[in-house]
């Protein structure tokens, strides 16, 4: 597998890693093969993504790359979440729900396998 990224792709991967986000495309029920989201004359690619926090990932039921519409040359994405019954009880401290900020990660060819 040849791995080439443009600068915006590297910036996007840095953003996801530095904010402890997970890309759902290609690793979620309904899109395990990582379907193309853009099909152009000069090639096909996955350039539309859904990202979630690691905690929210467990609540994702599926991700679907839908057929083209007349409104765009990109395929729409759809996902469904498992929602628990809402509670009317007061919440605890917000600090309990957040992890400390991660160390900065810079994506490059040497550490691509860490992602």
């Amino acid at each position: 597998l040849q791995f080439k990224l443009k600068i915006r792709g590297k910036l996007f991967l840095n953003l996801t890693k530095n904010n402890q986000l997970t890309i759902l495309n290609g690793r979620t029920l309904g899109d395990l093969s990582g379907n193309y989201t853009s099909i152009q004359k000069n090639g096909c690619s996955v350039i539309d993504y859904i990202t979630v926090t690691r905690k929210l990932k467990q609540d994702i039921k599926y991700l679907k790359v839908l057929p083209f519409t007349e409104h765009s040359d990109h395929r729409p994405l759809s996902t469904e979440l498992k929602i628990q019954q809402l509670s009317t009880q007061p919440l605890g401290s917000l600090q309990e729900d957040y992890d400390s900020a991660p160390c900065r990660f810079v994506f490059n060819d040497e550490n691509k396998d860490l992602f």
Side-chain angles (χ1 to χ4, degrees):
L1 175 68
Q2 194 168 15
F3 204 84
K4 293 183 180 180
L5 289 176
K6 294 186 179 182
I7 189 68
R8 288 186 182 169
K10 288 182 180 181
L11 290 172
F12 177 68
L13 291 177
N14 289 342
L15 174 79
T16 59
K17 186 77 171 179
N18 289 329
N19 290 285
Q20 298 180 342
L21 299 174
T22 298
I23 298 172
L24 296 182
N25 304 59
R27 49 177 77 153
T28 306
L29 184 65
D31 186 51
L32 293 175
S33 62
N35 292 302
Y36 294 125
T37 61
S38 176
I39 300 174
Q40 307 294 323
K41 292 178 186 176
N42 59 345
C44 306
S45 60
V46 178
I47 59 172
D48 303 287
Y49 300 93
I50 295 180
T51 61
V52 296
T53 61
R54 292 177 183 159
K55 187 174 181 179
L56 184 60
K57 186 177 186 290
Q58 66 191 11
D59 295 324
I60 302 296
K61 288 178 82 172
Y62 66 82
L63 166 72
K64 291 183 182 176
V65 179
L66 303 174
F68 284 101
T69 70
E70 62 187 71
H71 305 291
S72 176
D73 59 353
H74 294 255
R75 296 171 68 187
L77 303 176
S78 173
T79 190
E80 185 174 325
L81 302 170
K82 299 176 224 169
I83 302 294
Q84 298 176 359
Q85 186 175 7
L86 298 177
S87 171
T88 57
Q89 300 299 318
L91 296 174
S93 167
L94 288 179
Q95 188 62 34
E96 296 170 7
D97 291 335
Y98 291 98
D99 296 328
S100 58
C103 297
R104 184 165 167 77
F105 183 88
V106 177
F107 187 90
N108 59 39
D109 290 335
E110 288 79 41
N111 63 20
K112 66 185 176 197
D113 294 329
L114 297 175
F115 193 78

